[in-house]
Amino acid sequence: MMQLPNYKEAKVRNKEQVIREEYKFDSSLKNIGVGKTYHVKTYGCQMNEHDSENIKALLEELGFQEENDYEKADLVLLNTCSIRENAHNKAFGMLGRLKHLKEENKDLIIGLCGCMAQEEGVIEDILHKYKFVNFVFGTHNLHSLPNLLSKNLKSNHQEIEVYSKEGNLIEGLPVKRANSYKAFVNIIYGCDKFCTYCIVPYTRGKQRSRKKEDILKEVETLVREGYQEVTLLGQNVNAYGKDFDYDYRMENLLEDVAKTGIPRVRFMTSHPWDFTDQMIEVIAKYPNVMPSVHLPVQSGSSRILKLMGRRYTKESYLELFHKIKDTIPNVSISTDIIVGFPGETEEDFMETLSLVEECQFDNAFTFIYSPRENTPASKLEDNVSLEEKEKRLYRLNEIVNHYFLVNNQKWIGKVVPVLVEGINTNGKDGLYGYTDTNKLINFMGDPSLTGKIVSIKVTDAKTWSLDGELYE
Ligand code: 5AD
Ligand code: SF4
């Protein structure tokens, strides 16, 4: 039986209590992957990266072993992203390559999961044009993977199981963490903001917060295991706890996580709407909460912000921005910006540029608007040409890049704490790591420093990174 995605259901928000469940491994499946290898290819955001850590552990419980080269693996699973058209195209391009591989090796097992699996149109294509895909599951049912795979191996039928009504909140999934010193910890799933351009509320469902006890237990375990950094994850972390019937919110959680003694706490992503003064105070108060905030603005035009359904104006964003800057010493603020939203005029775009001139962001991810199936914005008339959108992106990037460099230069001569991530693989000698303010820094040192926090004196600044030397 197949379970297909349904946009109508995906849109529903209700007050029903989320059902919390503990994951149980079906031990009768424990050998179905023995002697076989897997490769998981991850697209998109940190949420997907972290889901892949669960997916890998689920596959290893079945006996599969990881293979870094997808062309050699017995099972290839694509964990996909829907956020923009090019994420789609990449995944479909990869499916094309896998089709060829399968023509040579008919036993190749191909799976698809993640946000694209939640899209009606994508599943239509998988059913009719990509029949060689063995199994599909969605963002609400990672835990179905062992069962689906086992069914497919037995019957050889395409197995599709995607729920659009948000699933239960499953605790206790196994996890194979990508590294041993920094970890992702989910705190809230889904999103209820429904920004008009965004597909996430449909692909990730209703806002559901994990219980404080489960989160703190996970962080405490990481502390005991020697982890140096946790990143608290959610599509909108600042909404944490809004779905509880008691008063425990993001500022309380952040404070309790800081008190576990984990050396570094980060969190992302923050919607400006839910960013409270108490949050700002907690970040300022605890030295292990990193002074680095990702605060997507999307546009500097209040008219466009309204059309985007962002629920703030240019002025209220700036007010919040300056409050954060004034309260948290040396804080770095990064952002996301979309250009070419339907109907964006030159004047609207100039408002974005003026906001960027005022905020001088430490980092910014800039995008051309990409219409997403079934979102309200995709139904708006769009009279801005692609050529004009590309020009705007170019003009915007010139300015944001300039300020990255200006901000980086302010650090020259200062000593900063750096979590060492390992040996440079980009052709440079030495090691790299991230400062407390989330800046990439390159320096010479012994690889045994990987996973440690060291003091580095900044010696030079580039647009995208700093250079430094170990400081005794
Ligand atoms: N088109 C372009 N960019 C988008 N983003 C989200 N949806 C779209 C879209 N339809 C951007 C936003 C968001 C970031 C993760 O991706 O800037 O903050
Ligand atoms: Fe992409 Fe959003 Fe899904 Fe992350 S949650 S994978 S950014 S669509």
Side-chain angles (χ1 to χ4, degrees):
M1 206 194 73
M2 272 190 270
Q3 172 70 43
L4 305 181
N6 175 318
Y7 278 139
K8 265 207 197 99
E9 268 185 25
K11 225 186 265 184
V12 173
R13 292 299 184 266
N14 55 39
K15 292 262 174 238
E16 271 172 37
Q17 278 289 315
V18 195
I19 301 168
R20 292 160 201 276
E21 245 181 76
E22 220 26 59
Y23 171 70
K24 276 195 244 42
F25 175 54
D26 176 353
S27 56
S28 71
L29 304 178
K30 74 167 184 261
N31 290 324
I32 66 170
V34 170
K36 295 197 181 93
T37 58
Y38 74 88
H39 181 93
V40 178
K41 207 160 176 46
T42 311
Y43 303 85
C45 64
Q46 281 94 343
M47 189 66 83
N48 257 20
E49 293 282 341
H50 186 41
D51 283 350
S52 287
E53 295 183 331
N54 292 128
I55 288 164
K56 288 180 182 186
L58 286 167
L59 288 168
E60 295 196 5
E61 277 189 344
L62 303 175
F64 285 93
Q65 283 184 327
E66 187 159 14
E67 165 58 60
N68 290 330
D69 180 355
Y70 76 88
E71 294 193 3
K72 292 191 188 137
D74 300 304
L75 181 158
V76 181
L77 176 59
L78 306 185
N79 189 4
T80 60
C81 170
S82 308
I83 199 91
R84 281 171 294 276
E85 185 65 32
N86 62 355
H88 256 229
N89 294 346
K90 277 192 211 155
F92 277 120
M94 187 65 188
L95 276 182
R97 262 170 276 153
L98 293 175
K99 185 178 183 199
H100 288 301
L101 280 182
K102 194 152 179 166
E103 280 159 6
E104 289 159 23
N105 167 17
K106 65 176 181 17
D107 294 329
L108 178 64
I109 310 165
I110 301 171
L112 186 138
C113 64
C115 290
M116 278 170 65
Q118 298 291 142
E119 289 183 62
E120 287 177 2
V122 169
I123 296 301
E124 277 294 304
D125 281 353
I126 301 278
L127 280 168
H128 299 110
K129 295 194 216 143
Y130 296 84
K131 292 189 176 135
F132 58 92
V133 172
N134 296 64
F135 67 100
V136 179
F137 58 94
T139 56
H140 301 309
N141 62 328
L142 305 190
H143 59 286
S144 304
L145 165 61
N147 213 356
L148 278 178
L149 188 53
S150 134
K151 277 204 273 189
N152 173 261
L153 290 177
K154 275 189 205 137
S155 70
N156 217 11
H157 288 153
Q158 192 175 55
E159 295 288 341
I160 300 186
E161 191 174 306
V162 177
Y163 297 93
S164 288
K165 185 181 174 325
E166 67 291 340
N168 301 347
L169 204 154
I170 310 281
E171 288 293 343
L173 281 180
V175 58
K176 182 185 184 192
R177 297 204 186 266
N179 73 62
S180 58
Y181 48 88
K182 63 171 191 180
F184 293 129
V185 173
N186 280 332
I187 63 168
I188 180 168
Y189 300 98
C191 179
D192 287 356
K193 283 285 181 286
F194 289 99
C195 301
T196 57
Y197 52 81
C198 188
I199 199 165
V200 172
Y202 311 93
T203 61
R204 293 273 171 178
K206 181 172 105 170
Q207 210 162 270
R208 288 107 63 215
S209 303
R210 282 181 76 198
K211 278 200 305 210
K212 148 197 179 182
E213 293 78 12
D214 293 321
I215 297 168
L216 292 176
K217 201 166 79 187
E218 186 173 343
V219 176
E220 281 157 6
T221 306
L222 292 165
V223 173
R224 274 199 303 280
E225 291 172 353
Y227 277 80
Q228 300 295 305
E229 181 176 297
V230 294
T231 302
L232 308 177
L233 283 185
Q235 306 305 340
N236 171 19
V237 287
N238 299 56
Y240 177 80
K242 282 190 149 186
D243 51 326
F244 291 157
D245 49 14
Y246 51 93
D247 200 22
Y248 187 82
R249 292 289 170 83
M250 184 57 186
E251 50 266 25
N252 309 107
L253 179 72
L254 199 54
E255 184 155 25
D256 282 340
V257 170
K259 284 181 184 163
T260 63
I262 186 93
R264 290 183 158 197
V265 186
R266 300 190 186 280
F267 54 90
M268 73 183 312
T269 291
S270 300
H271 190 298
W273 174 250
D274 292 314
F275 214 109
T276 60
D277 290 355
Q278 293 92 311
M279 270 277 291
I280 302 176
E281 280 159 29
V282 172
I283 304 169
K285 178 171 166 195
Y286 287 88
N288 59 343
V289 179
M290 294 298 96
S292 155
V293 176
H294 186 60
L295 197 68
V297 65
Q298 313 300 3
S299 168
S301 152
S302 295
R303 190 183 78 84
I304 294 291
L305 286 169
K306 190 153 193 217
L307 290 174
M308 288 177 162
R310 291 292 285 178
R311 312 185 204 191
Y312 55 82
T313 58
K314 179 185 197 182
E315 290 68 32
S316 62
Y317 181 90
L318 287 172
E319 193 186 322
L320 173 65
F321 178 93
H322 288 299
K323 212 186 302 173
I324 296 174
K325 277 271 173 191
D326 294 344
T327 318
I328 308 169
N330 285 324
V331 69
S332 69
I333 302 185
S334 55
T335 201
D336 293 340
I337 299 170
I338 298 175
V339 300
F341 188 81
E344 183 189 68
T345 62
E346 175 66 17
E347 290 71 44
D348 292 317
F349 177 63
M350 292 300 285
E351 292 282 334
T352 298
L353 295 188
S354 92
L355 179 128
V356 165
E357 292 283 358
E358 177 162 349
C359 295
Q360 308 190 0
F361 293 104
D362 285 88
N363 204 349
F365 301 91
T366 56
F367 311 103
I368 291 181
Y369 166 74
S370 168
R372 308 316 296 133
E373 190 184 21
N374 202 44
T375 55
S378 69
K379 291 161 195 146
L380 295 175
E381 194 199 340
D382 188 358
N383 52 10
V384 190
S385 69
L386 182 60
E387 195 191 353
E388 179 56 34
K389 292 181 192 207
E390 281 167 353
K391 273 195 205 144
R392 287 183 191 164
L393 184 69
Y394 184 85
R395 288 161 67 196
L396 174 64
N397 283 342
E398 292 272 284
I399 299 176
V400 292
N401 292 350
H402 167 73
Y403 286 114
F404 302 164
L405 182 62
V406 168
N407 280 304
N408 282 347
Q409 282 167 339
K410 291 184 193 151
W411 289 97
I412 294 177
K414 297 202 171 120
V415 177
V416 290
V418 171
L419 174 56
V420 186
E421 300 245 335
I423 301 171
N424 266 319
T425 48
N426 58 358
K428 285 192 171 191
D429 285 336
L431 306 176
Y432 75 98
Y434 285 87
T435 65
D436 52 348
T437 53
N438 212 17
K439 291 183 185 290
L440 173 64
I441 184 160
N442 299 299
F443 54 96
M444 299 306 289
D446 193 278
S448 66
L449 293 174
T450 302
K452 298 202 168 72
I453 295 173
V454 297
S455 294
I456 302 280
K457 185 168 185 181
V458 180
T459 53
D460 200 4
K462 317 264 166 63
T463 301
W464 306 105
S465 65
L466 302 171
D467 288 336
E469 57 196 24
L470 276 166
Y471 183 80
E472 304 305 333

